Amino acid sequence: MSSTTPSPRAGVDWRIRFGVLALIWGFSFLFIKVGTRGFAPFQVTFGRLLFGTAVLLVALVVKRDRLPRGARTWGHLTVAALLLNALPFSLFSYAELTIPSTLAGICNATTPLWGMVLSLVALSEDRPTRVRAAGLGIGFAGVLTVLGAWQGFSGLDAGGTALALLASASYAVGWIYVRRTLSGTGSSNLSLATAQVGLGTLQLALVTPLFTTWPESVEILPLVSVIALGALGTGWAMLLQYGVVAEVGPTTASMVTYFIPVIATAAGVALLDEHLTWNTPLGALVVLAGAALTQTRASSRRERHPAPAGGGPGAPHARKPARTAASRTSEAPTAEARPAGARAPEETPRPARTAPTAPQP
């Protein structure tokens, strides 16, 4: 078959895959909560990364792709794995020991706000417009609403909330680091994601035995939750994201970000009997509105490919800052501009440079 012949699309409509992706990432916070009922937070994170790596390795073999080459690339991926996987995943697990999964899901939605603040320091070419500055202020007001600032933050665990917000900030730092260091590696997104999650697994394999002991008994429900968190939220979800971005482009695919806290809240209330006051959903809507405003820019400048794996809460959710002129001139046409039926150019892999159109928890 000629290389110019369009490859057949998957039989499942992209809208269904989009919905499944939102459900998986929205339920990730519930999986974390249930997982920590039977395992230590580091153990939950290790299991999540282990099962996520397994799924991505299978996909890598099926697609006959290969892992990245070069010590420099692997060095940068090691740092990315810490900032985008090992650290935020662990922080969310520790946070959910003391805060509800609903609050963790909403804290995750603040990643774009952190990203904008940090990009002003780290990316000199990314200057805020008035709209984006207003979005930052609105998002901050939404966070205060969620936390009930007028009540003195009563009823909330300050430590757990701080850990969840720190996890979201770690995602933002990670995406900026990825953008600065992993452009032009020549490796595919799947290759980089597999290597990154695998390195995160190794990091947790070293840390977990130092701070935890194996539980005396293993309960089925927490074990199933950890497996689902890894295989679905960190493995399969990344593959779904790649497909949706390639088919409909990042602008449409990024809308999954706004469903995640809604699903996380609904799952926590319905299945875990978590208490919900009026200010939590209202504040969440304000946070999402502010986050959306901070991401406004010309759609023609958006990246076509998702970034290395955040894989669920956080990961996948901050978008990238504006690119340099050099990166814009070297970019291939976006998925939206590609002729109908044309295949996303996996044959010429491009690196993941920035935040995913989701995360990523």
Side-chain angles (χ1 to χ4, degrees), residues 156-242:
L156 289 177
D157 181 82
T161 304
L163 289 178
L165 290 172
L166 185 59
S168 300
S170 181
Y171 286 128
V173 174
W175 295 129
I176 292 175
Y177 180 84
V178 164
R179 179 184 176 189
R180 283 182 169 271
T181 61
L182 287 173
S183 296
T185 63
S187 299
S188 67
N189 293 304
L190 176 59
S191 173
L192 291 172
T194 304
Q196 179 185 308
V197 177
L199 288 168
T201 304
L202 292 177
Q203 291 169 357
L204 264 295
L206 296 175
V207 171
T208 301
L210 300 178
F211 296 94
T212 67
T213 57
W214 189 253
E216 296 181 358
S217 61
V218 177
E219 300 180 22
I220 296 298
L221 192 56
L223 178 60
V224 171
S225 294
V226 171
I227 294 173
L229 182 63
L232 299 180
T234 308
W236 188 38
M238 291 305 301
L239 302 178
L240 284 174
Q241 184 193 29
Y242 295 151

Side-chain angles (χ1 to χ4, degrees), residues 290-361:
L293 289 176
T294 64
Q295 302 307 297
T296 55
R297 59 174 56 86
S299 61
S300 62
R301 295 185 176 184
R302 296 199 188 278
E303 190 71 55
R304 171 166 44 86
H305 294 285
H317 310 314
R319 294 185 210 166
K320 62 171 280 192
R323 286 167 290 145
T324 61
S327 66
R328 289 196 296 269
T329 56
S330 62
E331 184 180 3
T334 61
E336 289 101 325
R338 194 175 300 116
R343 183 178 181 179
E346 275 189 19
E347 300 79 22
T348 309
R350 295 178 61 87
R353 301 183 205 176
T354 58
T357 55
Q360 52 181 254

